[in-house]
Amino acid sequence: MQLDQDITTITEGKTKILVPKAAIESKVPPMDVAFFNPRAKLSRDFSIIAYSAFIKKFHGPKTFLDSMSGVGARGLRVANEIKEIEHVYVNDLNPTALELGKKSAEINNLQNYTASEEETCRFLSSFSRKGMRAAIVDIDPFGSPTRHLDCGIRATVHGGILSVTATDLQVLHGLFNDACRKKYYGTPIKTHYADEIAIRLILGCIHLIAARLDVEATPVFVENNMHYYRVYVRILNKSDTRDMMGFISHCRSCGNREIGKERKELCDICSGTMIAAGPLWIGSLFEKEFLKDMLEDIPNHTVDKKCAKTIQRCILESEMPGCYYTLDELAEMRKKSPASLEKSITILQKNGYASSPTSFNPTGFRTDCKINKILELFSSQIPYPRQM
C-alpha cells in the first residue's frame, strides 16, 4: 500500500485518521478502496456526544464494538476522544481498511484499539456471551441493518446502547413496499414527514426483534441527514410487556394525520379515506434526560456547531405528539408563501396549543393542534404577502 501517494491524513474531532484520497475527492465514496464517507462526519460527531454522555453514567465494562468500521473513523474517535472507554473493538472485511485503522491508532498513540477481520454477525456473536457483552454496539452498514439486528442486540450488555444506521432510503420512503415489509415488517407512505415514518419503521423492527429475544429496546436519541437514518436504543435484558406498535394514518384529502395502535379508515375531519403506514413504533423517539446529558457534554468535544442546535430541538420536541408538519406543506395547502417557523409556532402557542420545532426538518414543527385548526389560525393571523 503506497501511503505517500494513495492515502492522506485528515483530522476529525480531535483524531487524526488515514483515509484514501479517492474517498475525499469523489462525490460518492468509491467501493473499490477502503471505505470512508466524509459526509458522515456530522453523524460521527453525534455519536461521540451520545456515547460520551451515556458512558459517564454507565456502570459496567466500558467497551465499544464497531461491527462495520471501514477505515475505523468512528472507532478511532471513540477510543481517542472518550477517555472513559476502556477498549474499542473494530471489525471489517476489508483488510486494507483495517490496516489503515491500525496505522491511525498508532498515529494517535492508542493502546485500547483492536481490529478483526470477520463477517459482521460472527464478530458480534463472539461478544454475545455473558461477561463479554459491550456497553455500546454500533451497526453502520451499506443499506439496511436488519440482517444484523439479532446479533447486535445479543452483543449489547444490559443497560447498554445499540446504535443502528440505515441508508436504504428508497425502501424506507415507499418506492419498494414489498422489500420494506420483508426487511422492516411494515410499509411506509409518501408524506411530507416521511423521515419520521422511516425512523419509526426502523425502531419498530428493532422493537419486534428485541421482544422475540426477551429484551426491551427503547430509543434515547434519533437523527437523520440526507443520506442516512440513525437510531440509538437502550437495551434492557428483560421481557418487554409494552404494546408500542401501531400505525400512522394519513388523509390525502385534508392532510390530517393520526398515530395510534389501530389504523383509521375514515378521517375525522373531512370523512376522506385514510392510508396507513406501519406497523411501526408509536412510542417516544427521545429520552429527555439523555438529551440533556448530551447537550451538557458538548463543550467537552470538538464537534459541528449544528449538533447543539439539533439536540436543543430534540429536547423541545421530546414530549410532543408524533407526525410533524412542514411550512412548505402548509404553504401548498394555503397557496401562499410560507410563514416563518418562529411566527407559526408562536401563533399556535398563543392560541393554547403545544408546539415546538422538530429536528427532522429545518422548517418543520410539532403541535397538538389539528390540521384544520392550524390552517384556520394561520389564515386569520398570517397575512398575504404584499404584492409588488
Side-chain angles (χ1 to χ4, degrees):
M1 184 171 55
Q2 299 176 347
L3 293 178
D4 58 335
Q5 294 182 18
D6 306 320
I7 306 300
T8 188
T9 303
I10 66 165
T11 299
E12 193 174 285
K14 300 175 182 177
T15 305
K16 293 179 180 179
I17 306 170
L18 294 172
V19 301
K21 289 182 179 179
I24 300 293
E25 296 167 355
S26 302
K27 290 184 178 180
V28 178
M31 301 294 290
D32 57 347
V33 299
F35 183 78
F36 174 76
N37 185 0
R39 293 191 301 162
K41 178 188 177 297
L42 184 62
S43 170
R44 291 188 286 270
D45 283 352
F46 277 121
S47 291
I48 293 299
I49 301 165
Y51 296 155
S52 177
F54 164 74
I55 210 70
K56 281 180 170 63
K57 293 187 174 181
F58 178 74
H59 302 287
K62 296 176 171 60
T63 52
F64 172 78
L65 307 183
D66 188 349
S67 60
M68 307 171 84
S69 65
V71 300
R74 203 182 305 266
L76 288 163
R77 290 191 62 184
V78 169
N80 189 50
E81 298 173 34
I82 305 178
K83 301 308 179 184
E84 293 83 0
I85 291 289
E86 295 166 357
H87 207 95
V88 166
Y89 298 89
V90 304
N91 178 75
D92 203 87
L93 283 174
N94 186 326
T96 303
L98 292 173
E99 190 62 30
L100 281 174
K102 291 176 185 177
K103 291 184 180 297
S104 296
E106 292 175 6
I107 292 173
N108 291 282
N109 299 313
L110 300 179
Q111 305 299 318
N112 59 343
Y113 182 93
T114 301
S116 64
E117 185 181 344
E118 295 279 2
E119 186 274 330
T120 302
C121 273
R122 186 180 295 274
F123 167 75
L124 290 170
S125 295
S126 67
F127 291 91
S128 64
R129 298 187 305 277
K130 188 174 182 179
M132 293 289 292
R133 298 183 183 114
I136 305 169
V137 176
D138 190 285
I139 300 175
D140 186 7
F142 303 112
S144 173
T146 54
R147 71 179 68 182
H148 308 299
L149 292 178
D150 293 65
C151 302
I153 292 169
R154 293 177 192 272
T156 309
V157 76
H158 174 70
I161 293 290
L162 172 67
S163 56
V164 176
T165 303
T167 61
D168 53 337
L169 272 61
Q170 290 184 325
V171 171
L172 288 162
H173 280 193
L175 296 180
F176 305 100
N177 278 356
D178 286 344
C180 192
R181 191 178 298 109
K182 291 174 184 176
K183 291 178 183 291
Y184 296 96
Y185 308 135
T187 54
I189 51 177
K190 297 177 182 178
T191 66
H192 285 83
Y193 53 96
D195 289 334
E196 180 172 343
I197 292 174
I199 288 281
R200 291 186 179 278
L201 283 166
I202 297 166
L203 290 171
C205 181
I206 294 172
H207 171 66
L208 290 174
I209 292 174
R212 175 166 53 79
L213 299 174
D214 284 331
V215 169
E216 181 180 298
T218 302
V220 294
F221 174 56
V222 303
E223 50 114 354
N224 69 291
N225 206 326
M226 62 181 72
H227 64 287
Y228 69 85
Y229 297 109
R230 190 164 179 85
V231 303
Y232 298 74
V233 298
R234 192 187 305 276
I235 299 296
L236 298 176
N237 291 331
K238 66 175 187 176
S239 296
D240 194 347
T241 59
R242 302 170 301 172
D243 183 8
M244 304 304 293
M245 297 297 290
F247 299 87
I248 291 175
S249 300
H250 181 90
C251 179
R252 292 287 192 207
S253 298
C254 72
N256 181 31
R257 71 277 321 255
E258 295 188 28
I259 183 168
K261 293 181 180 178
E262 305 294 333
R263 68 175 74 206
K264 296 200 68 172
E265 302 293 335
L266 294 177
C267 176
D268 292 336
I269 294 176
C270 72
S271 299
T273 301
M274 301 190 85
I275 56 176
L280 43 66
W281 174 265
I282 59 172
S284 297
L285 299 176
F286 305 99
E287 185 180 286
K288 192 172 184 178
E289 289 306 311
F290 186 84
L291 297 173
K292 289 180 178 179
D293 289 342
M294 288 178 65
L295 191 62
E296 185 179 326
D297 205 43
I298 286 179
N300 298 324
H301 303 285
T302 303
V303 295
D304 195 297
K305 293 180 180 179
K306 294 178 183 177
C307 292
K309 184 177 180 180
T310 298
I311 295 170
Q312 286 166 347
R313 285 192 168 204
C314 292
I315 291 172
L316 292 173
E317 70 179 315
S318 61
E319 296 173 349
M320 294 294 296
C323 307
Y324 60 88
Y325 299 85
T326 69
L327 298 179
D328 289 341
E329 174 187 13
L330 294 167
E332 288 176 14
M333 291 180 174
R334 299 175 64 228
K335 295 181 171 54
K336 298 180 182 178
S337 300
S340 73
L341 181 63
E342 183 179 359
K343 185 170 185 178
S344 299
I345 291 173
T346 298
I347 288 172
L348 290 165
Q349 291 174 341
K350 284 184 175 179
N351 283 274
Y353 295 99
S355 186
S356 78
T358 175
S359 59
F360 283 80
N361 188 297
T363 69
F365 64 92
R366 296 185 185 276
T367 181
D368 58 356
C369 186
K370 290 292 187 180
I371 185 65
N372 56 332
K373 188 63 178 178
I374 295 173
L375 292 172
E376 178 185 321
L377 290 172
F378 285 12
S379 294
S380 62
Q381 299 184 39
I382 300 178
Y384 282 96
R386 292 182 178 179
Q387 300 294 322
M388 299 299 292

